[in-house]
Amino acid sequence: MATTSSKNMKGFYRQKKTTGGITKKATNTKWSAALSSNLTALISHASPDLKDDYDDKESVLREFDMNMAYGPCLGMSRQARWERANRLGLNPPKEIEGLLNGGKVQAGCLWDGRV
Amino acid sequence: MEIDGEKAVLERKQSTYLALDETFEIQKETYGGQQYSQIYFTRLHLMRTLLYSLVPNLKPHLPVCKILELEKGKECIVVGTLYKHMKLKPSILDEYSRTRSVTPLVKPHNFMHPDDHLILEDESGRVKLGGTMLLPSSYITGIVVALQGKETGAGDFFVQDVLEAGLAPQIEFPLESREDKYVVLVSGLSVGSSASNPLQFQLLVDHITGHLGDEKEQAIAAQIVHVIIAGSSVEIPRGLLNGQNLASKDQSRLSVPIKELDIMLTQIAAGVPLDIMPGPNDPANYSLPQQPLNRCLFPGSAAYNTFRSCTNPHCFELDNIRFLGTSGQNIDDLQKYSEAKDKLEFMERTLRWRNLGPTAPNTLGCYPFIDRDPFLIDSCPHVYFAGNQDKYETSLLKGTEGQLVRLICIPKFSKTGVAVAVSFCIFPSILKLPKELENLFQA
């Protein structure tokens, strides 16, 4: 842990007031619980990741992460997990590989950095 | 000794060597924060696919289902990983538990208890196993089996029959008539310990290199084509490794055993191909698969191309005969958590379960592999050995599809003075080479 003097704490651990500024559409999704409890984690990653930035592509990838047939997802990149599933003969959908190769998607799994 | 210009020089026999250790190497692995669930998943998937292909041959009428799909009273086959709940197994969490029951008197190196029970687990759930078919004392956590039975009213799974994978398919033993050749297996040299006798080791080296005996003895020694040292070759004085700064005289004491070993290995490597495997006491990593001992430790022997530092476990082929073995950690771990009539039975069980180290990563230290389980035995070896055992034991194991395996327990050389020479002829039969001091004084 970096030792910071108290006057630098605000810079290290940016806090924002909850009144306004934060989009409330997060509360309507099932991820709201995860997001609100990990709000501090999101902010401490230096860019306030408050937007609900998971679009269709990300939700497809999250379904792939959660699919038990391909094994645990923690500790592996999505690409590695897809390749393992392919090598073990589990026939993972080809579109997942397409999504991972092209486009800006998160390389780690859903829980990456959060657990 | 007559000096005769026409006396023929004895030539050592040679054999073709093929190293098959790629799956045990971890240089290409990167640690991404993964846990052991990955290796368990891979093990379950590969073994389950195998068992699903074997089940229709033996029990064609029964349906196969996952654990969560079990229905009360319906007889079916279920495949999963066994977990043995052991009361006496030491757990790190015991340190934090408030109420500590008085630990019962138990043998220090065996954690079995009559109350141990087995649980079957797959990715959908787990179920407690009942019935008398599966004796918890013969099983351990980490093996994948197929069980026939049905769910009882209490929610247990009553086991009626067990189906293990059995011995893996074996490449054919090359049966063409061959000249007799020997492989010497030795382990537990423990150079540097008080128990090891340098004279015994020197006697062994002299025998292997042909410096001992008359022409007949030398002719026997010329048939030795390879030497395998299966672990625990050095013993570093433990008192020095307590984390304190070493005085300069202690620093040299630390390296004396390795230097002594190198001198002996140079003598062997000069004459015959040599493989050295790390063991529980060697300066290598702790968890399996242990990586090869660094060549810098052996400045003298590493200069020879006959010197090869190998992983533990070690798999190789000599003249198309497949050898597979470890320095004994896998078998010793089985002994702590289960029981059998002898060490050979533990070795037989690992072959039938098709897993060299089924207790890894539960109680046997292991690298967290992501995409493979290196301990899975895909091809049954012809010779299967375990080093650092208490005594020399051997038996011949027959499989259901005509596989034949020679099982060998290599005893600790520092304690017993026994090395093992395996012959290529007939089905690998064994010669025991005692290196007692008496030999020196016999005519």
Side-chain angles (χ1 to χ4, degrees), chain A residues 4-110:
Chain A
T4 50
S5 58
S6 54
K7 58 176 179 285
N8 285 339
M9 274 313 287
K10 285 228 176 105
F12 174 70
Y13 182 81
R14 265 177 289 162
Q15 309 200 36
K16 283 202 168 182
K17 296 221 171 127
T18 50
T19 54
I22 298 181
T23 55
K24 285 293 187 192
K25 71 173 152 97
T27 54
N28 290 335
T29 69
K30 59 185 169 173
W31 302 115
S32 63
L35 278 176
S36 57
S37 66
N38 286 319
L39 206 54
T40 51
L42 292 173
I43 294 173
S44 67
H45 282 165
S47 61
D49 189 15
L50 304 166
K51 280 202 281 101
D52 233 355
D53 65 339
Y54 82 97
D55 50 358
D56 306 333
K57 285 197 274 186
E58 180 68 15
S59 81
V60 167
L61 287 172
R62 283 184 183 182
E63 287 298 319
F64 172 67
D65 284 342
M66 290 282 99
N67 194 336
M68 270 196 316
Y70 308 124
C73 66
L74 256 184
M76 288 178 87
S77 68
R78 283 169 170 161
Q79 179 75 23
R81 186 158 172 268
W82 191 93
E83 274 163 18
R84 175 181 73 183
N86 203 21
R87 239 177 302 132
L88 291 178
L90 293 162
N91 287 327
K94 295 272 190 298
E95 54 170 11
I96 307 276
E97 199 200 10
L99 284 175
L100 290 170
N101 284 334
K104 294 159 80 167
V105 289
Q106 197 182 325
C109 76
L110 166 63

Side-chain angles (χ1 to χ4, degrees), chain B residues 273-288:
Chain B
L274 169 70
D275 283 1
I276 180 161
M277 293 163 59
N281 293 334
D282 287 326
N285 57 315
Y286 166 76
S287 55
L288 292 187

